[in-house]
Amino acid sequence: MAEMKNTNSTGQAMMRMMSGIAVLVVLTALLYFAAPDSFYLWAKAIHILAVISWMAGMLYLPRLLVYHADAEKGSVQSETFKVMERRLLRGIINPAMIVTWVFGLWLAWKGFGFQGGWLHAKIGAVLLLSAMHGYLSGAVRKFAEDRNEKPARHWRMVNEIPTLLMIAIVILVVVKPF
C-alpha cells in the first residue's frame, strides 16, 4: 500500500514537473515572438534562475546522501531519504539542468558566437558539473536499491565538488580572465 502511494505521489510530481516545463516552453516561445529585441535579457534571467535551482539541488543532494549513508537500510529514516532524494533529483535538479543547458547554449551562441577562452573553460566546467550530476543520479539509484557502499565521509567530500565548480564558473563568467 505504501509502495502504491509512493508511486502515485511520484507520478503526480512528474506530471507537475512536466507541466511546469511545458508552461516554461510556451511562455518562452511567446516571449521570443512577442518581444524578440528583449529576449536575450529574458533568456539570461531564465538561465540564471535555472542555474540557481540546479546549484541548490546539487549542493543539497550530497548532504542528503551523507545522512542517508548513516541510516540503517530498510529503516523508516532510510525510506524517507529515498523519497526526498528522488523528488529532489527528478523534480528540481534534472529540469533545472536541462533549462540551464538549453538557455546557456543559446546565450553562448547568440551573445558570444561560442568565442572566448573563458567561455570554453566555463562550458568545460559545466560539463564537469553535469558529470557530477550523473554521478549523483547513479548514487540515488543505488541508495534506492539499498546498494550504497560508500561511507558518509565519501559523500561529505563529494559535497564540496559542486561548490568548487560553481566558484570556478562564476569567476569565469564575471571576470572573463582569458
Side-chain angles (χ1 to χ4, degrees), residues 117-140:
W118 70 270
L119 181 59
H120 298 150
K122 178 206 175 196
I123 291 171
V126 177
L127 282 168
L128 290 174
L129 187 61
S130 297
M132 175 56 58
H133 180 129
Y135 179 72
L136 292 174
S137 295
V140 167

Side-chain angles (χ1 to χ4, degrees), residues 21-81:
I21 289 175
V23 168
L24 177 66
V25 167
V26 169
L27 290 176
T28 301
L30 288 172
L31 185 60
Y32 180 77
F33 291 112
D37 294 339
S38 63
F39 184 74
Y40 183 85
L41 294 176
W42 281 102
K44 191 185 285 189
I46 293 167
H47 177 68
I48 292 169
L49 291 168
V51 168
I52 291 168
S53 299
W54 187 23
M55 285 310 305
M58 292 293 288
L59 296 171
Y60 185 47
L61 184 56
R63 181 53 45 190
L64 285 176
L65 299 178
V66 168
Y67 301 135
H68 195 168
D70 285 337
E72 185 177 325
K73 290 179 182 176
S75 68
V76 173
Q77 187 180 29
S78 176
E79 296 305 310
T80 300
F81 283 127

